Structure formats: structure tokens, C-alpha cells
Amino acid sequence: MTYKWVGAVLVVLGCGGCGLRMVAEQTRQAGLLRQLLQGLEFMESQLQYRLTPLPELCRQAAGEVGGSLGPVLRELAQRLDGGEAPEVSACMTAVLSSHGELPGNLRRLLYQLGKSLGRFDLPGQIQGLRTVRSACQQERQRLEENKGERFRSIQTLACCAGAALVILFA
């Protein structure tokens, strides 16, 4: 009989842990979007005032943002220096394929960034950075909207799912 209780508690805790994992992933995504926004603002200011070459711009932005996004920008700079692909978008695609741990919304924004960098003249590149920054702000706002309520709902549903499993198996 005690094995049933231990099993029931473990099932509820496991489901609660899945809920916590979902909450942590959404928090991680918001942090990555914050890093990307910081990098985009840095890139825009460097392009406007210093006309920094693209590989160096990516390297400097990688140092500026750090975290999980820094290695992505650093690798992009290496691929641009190496001339592996004629377009920035192809280099960005190669970089994103080697960083499978990035969430889909961030991958989409980085690909959009790759499509706009190095493709247009200076005003076009700055406009492209602003467009990506705007999309990034919208995505971050979507994640931050009703965050507390959504996190409580996820946790509640996860614990209820655990309790339902216990009832089904009892």
C-alpha cells in the first residue's frame, strides 16, 4: 500500500516538474530575446556611427551580449571572415543549423537578421535591424504578457494532470 502512495506522489511531482520545466523554458526564451534586443541596438549604433565591417560588427556584438547568443554571433563572424558562403543569410542558416538548442522564435528572428545584414546599403541595413528589433520586441512582449497568470496556469494544469494520472492508475 505504501508503494502506491509513493508512486502517486512521484507521479504528481513528475508532472509538476514538467510544468516547472515549461515555465523555465519560457523564462529562458525571454532572456534570449532580451540579449538579442541588446545586440541589435548595439549593431545599429555601431553601423550608424562607426560603419563597422560586418564580421567585426558580429564579433563586437557577441562580446556585448554574451550569454547563449554570443557564440552564435561569434560563429557568424567566423563564417563571414572565412567566406564560406556568398550571402550572410546562407552563413546564418549554417550557424543556426549547428545551434539546434535555440528556440524557434529566436531562430526565426536570427534568420530574418541574416537576410537583412550585408544585403542593402547602410540605410537599408539599419532599417532591417529596426525591423528585426521591432519583431523581437513584439515577441518579448507576447512572452511577458500575463506572465504570472500563465505560469500559475501551467503549474496548476501540470499538477492536475499528475493527479488525474494517479486516479487513473489507482
Side-chain angles (χ1 to χ4, degrees):
M1 188 61 154
T2 58
Y3 290 119
K4 276 188 172 183
W5 283 107
V6 170
V9 168
L10 288 176
V11 166
V12 171
L13 287 176
C15 288
C18 286
L20 281 175
R21 179 71 179 125
M22 292 170 68
V23 167
E25 181 59 30
Q26 288 189 8
T27 303
R28 177 178 165 262
Q29 286 181 17
L32 287 169
L33 289 172
R34 192 175 326 106
Q35 286 177 4
L36 182 58
L37 278 171
Q38 181 183 358
L40 291 171
E41 289 169 4
F42 177 80
M43 289 173 128
E44 184 179 336
S45 66
Q46 288 295 314
L47 273 178
Q48 278 182 327
Y49 301 112
R50 291 195 179 167
L51 298 172
T52 308
L54 195 53
E56 183 60 30
L57 179 67
C58 292
R59 243 187 304 286
Q60 289 177 3
E64 185 73 21
V65 299
S68 300
L69 198 55
V72 173
L73 293 173
R74 212 168 287 114
E75 186 178 337
L76 178 63
Q78 289 173 348
R79 288 183 186 268
L80 289 170
D81 274 340
E84 293 180 23
E87 292 184 354
V88 180
S89 61
C91 289
M92 183 63 86
T93 301
V95 168
L96 291 176
S97 68
S98 67
H99 289 274
E101 76 279 359
L102 295 174
N105 56 356
L106 187 70
R107 295 173 75 78
R108 181 181 50 79
L109 290 167
L110 286 171
Y111 182 71
Q112 186 178 354
L113 174 65
K115 283 176 55 177
S116 67
L117 284 178
R119 192 168 178 194
F120 305 108
D121 59 346
L122 180 62
Q125 286 188 41
I126 291 173
Q127 182 58 40
L129 284 171
R130 288 180 180 158
T131 301
V132 174
R133 193 173 73 189
S134 173
C136 188
Q137 286 171 337
Q138 289 174 355
E139 185 67 26
R140 185 168 176 231
Q141 182 179 2
R142 185 189 66 78
L143 281 176
E144 295 291 330
E145 201 172 90
N146 301 325
K147 179 172 73 173
E149 186 177 309
R150 191 173 61 250
F151 286 177
R152 280 190 302 277
S153 296
I154 289 171
Q155 282 299 108
T156 303
L157 285 172
C159 289
C160 288
L165 283 173
V166 167
I167 291 170
L168 282 173
F169 292 138

